[in-house]
Amino acid sequence: MAEITASAVKELRERSGAGMMDCKKALTETGGDLEAASDWLRSKGLAAAAKKSSRTAAEGLVGVAVAGTKGVAIEVNSQTDFVAKNEIFQGFVREVTGIALEKGDDIDALKASPMAQGGTVEEVLTANIATIGENQVLRRAKAVSVSQGAVIPYVHNAAAPGLGKIGVLVALESDAGVDVLEPLGKQIAMHVAAAFPLALDENGLDQDTLERERAIATEKAAESGKPADIIAKMVEGTVRKFAKENSLLNQLFVMDGKTPVSEVVAKAAKDAGATIKLTDYVRFQLGEGIEKEESDFAAEVAATAGLTK
């Protein structure tokens, strides 16, 4: 058997854009022949999958799952919304969500986890790219848990059970029963989906975000022409308002528009004669923070046909 050198793997990767392990396997299968290995990758759809991986994937699905006192949300992206309706894609997201529920939210560990059909999550994803014909990315995952109580899931714009455009998990630490926690958690989860809090409380807000708001407020306040001490108070007031409006426990409950979420939880605890604490949440919105490419379809067709100048 021919020796597969690191330099040969590197050259094949540069030629095909395929992954290192796929390149090594291709060279092994073809006795180290670079041309034959390139053809092998193409025949398996792996080179094509690598080329597609440069395309922006901002559509897809968010998956959520819970088991007892823990839950997980994941996001798997595709290039078009059409793929989100594909049974292969939905099945992949559903299974990977289940794997994440069992093994945790570390993306590298998830990618290396075995799937029921054989192969790792990353290998099956690569095969799906070739089969479906679009770039797909396992983008992120987040797990939450409580020692006692419940984690309640909610999916907005559901494409299938547990799959949709917005996935929310709400963690309630409590000695109350599920008959109390599930309806409360569902309402809070719907609030989270609609209100888009940035943190559980003010202390959890990102400091860079607060400084950016402070800078904007300072610039606006300076235009008022008021004395420096008044401007300073105006700025701090604006930042405090921003923090209050963007921390979940301080937000006004969307169900009535007047009661802070913290008070909604306190009232539910009092009515149930139990302790209830909202300890964590997850809100994944599909494509959030991904800059979508603006494509010129006519130019893309022309380029494909070799008509570009």
Side-chain angles (χ1 to χ4, degrees), residues 198-199 202-217 239 242-243:
L198 300 179
E202 295 180 37
N203 293 330
L205 288 167
D206 180 70
Q207 289 303 307
D208 289 340
T209 299
L210 291 176
E211 288 306 315
R212 187 164 56 249
E213 290 301 317
R214 181 173 280 106
I216 294 170
V239 173
F242 174 86

Side-chain angles (χ1 to χ4, degrees), residues 48-120:
K51 291 178 182 178
K52 291 183 178 73
S53 69
S54 65
R55 301 177 186 174
T56 301
E59 298 294 342
L61 288 169
V62 171
V64 297
V66 298
T69 55
K70 64 180 180 179
V72 70
I74 76 166
E75 179 181 357
V76 183
N77 299 120
S78 61
Q79 287 173 245
T80 65
D81 182 58
F82 182 75
V83 170
K85 302 176 178 66
N86 182 289
E87 290 184 5
I88 295 175
F89 185 76
Q90 289 188 359
F92 175 81
V93 178
R94 186 177 293 108
E95 184 174 351
V96 175
T97 305
I99 294 171
L101 184 61
E102 178 185 351
K103 297 196 172 182
D105 54 17
D106 181 88
I107 290 296
D108 290 335
L110 277 178
K111 288 180 178 180
S113 298
M115 297 192 71
Q117 68 192 74
T120 65

Side-chain angles (χ1 to χ4, degrees), residues 39-290:
D39 291 343
W40 187 91
L41 287 169
R42 290 180 62 192
S43 73
K44 301 298 182 183
L46 297 173
K51 291 178 182 178
K52 291 183 178 73
S53 69
S54 65
R55 301 177 186 174
T56 301
E59 298 294 342
L61 288 169
V62 171
V64 297
V66 298
T69 55
K70 64 180 180 179
V72 70
I74 76 166
E75 179 181 357
V76 183
N77 299 120
S78 61
Q79 287 173 245
T80 65
D81 182 58
F82 182 75
V83 170
K85 302 176 178 66
N86 182 289
E87 290 184 5
I88 295 175
F89 185 76
Q90 289 188 359
F92 175 81
V93 178
R94 186 177 293 108
E95 184 174 351
V96 175
T97 305
I99 294 171
L101 184 61
E102 178 185 351
K103 297 196 172 182
D105 54 17
D106 181 88
I107 290 296
D108 290 335
L110 277 178
K111 288 180 178 180
S113 298
M115 297 192 71
Q117 68 192 74
T120 65
V121 168
E122 185 169 26
E123 289 168 345
V124 173
L125 182 61
T126 300
N128 286 351
I129 294 172
T131 301
I132 296 174
E134 279 194 15
N135 185 27
Q136 296 156 55
V137 178
L138 174 54
R139 183 186 180 203
R140 55 180 174 166
K142 174 67 176 176
V144 295
S145 64
V146 292
S147 59
Q148 182 183 18
V151 174
I152 295 89
Y154 171 69
V155 176
H156 189 67
N157 287 342
L163 305 174
K165 301 285 188 181
I166 300 177
V168 177
L169 298 169
V170 169
L172 297 174
E173 191 80 40
S174 177
D175 54 9
V178 292
D179 58 322
V180 172
L181 299 180
E182 285 192 358
L184 173 64
K186 179 70 175 294
Q187 286 198 325
I188 295 174
M190 292 173 70
H191 168 96
V192 170
F196 198 170
L198 300 179
L200 180 65
D201 55 31
E202 295 180 37
N203 293 330
L205 288 167
D206 180 70
Q207 289 303 307
D208 289 340
T209 299
L210 291 176
E211 288 306 315
R212 187 164 56 249
E213 290 301 317
R214 181 173 280 106
I216 294 170
T218 299
E219 186 174 342
K220 287 183 177 179
E223 296 173 358
S224 69
K226 297 182 183 296
D229 59 332
I230 300 299
I231 288 177
K233 291 179 181 178
M234 291 170 62
V235 169
E236 290 309 309
T238 299
V239 173
R240 281 197 302 272
K241 181 182 179 184
F242 174 86
K244 183 175 181 180
E245 290 177 345
N246 288 280
S247 55
L248 175 54
L249 290 171
N250 291 316
Q251 286 181 327
L252 298 182
F253 197 38
V254 294
M255 302 300 175
D256 65 13
K258 61 182 181 181
T259 310
V261 171
S262 60
E263 293 183 16
V264 172
V265 175
K267 183 178 184 304
K270 182 178 179 181
D271 291 346
T275 59
I276 304 176
K277 184 178 181 181
L278 174 54
T279 58
D280 205 353
Y281 77 96
V282 178
R283 183 189 189 276
F284 277 3
Q285 181 166 338
L286 186 64
E288 178 187 339
I290 298 176

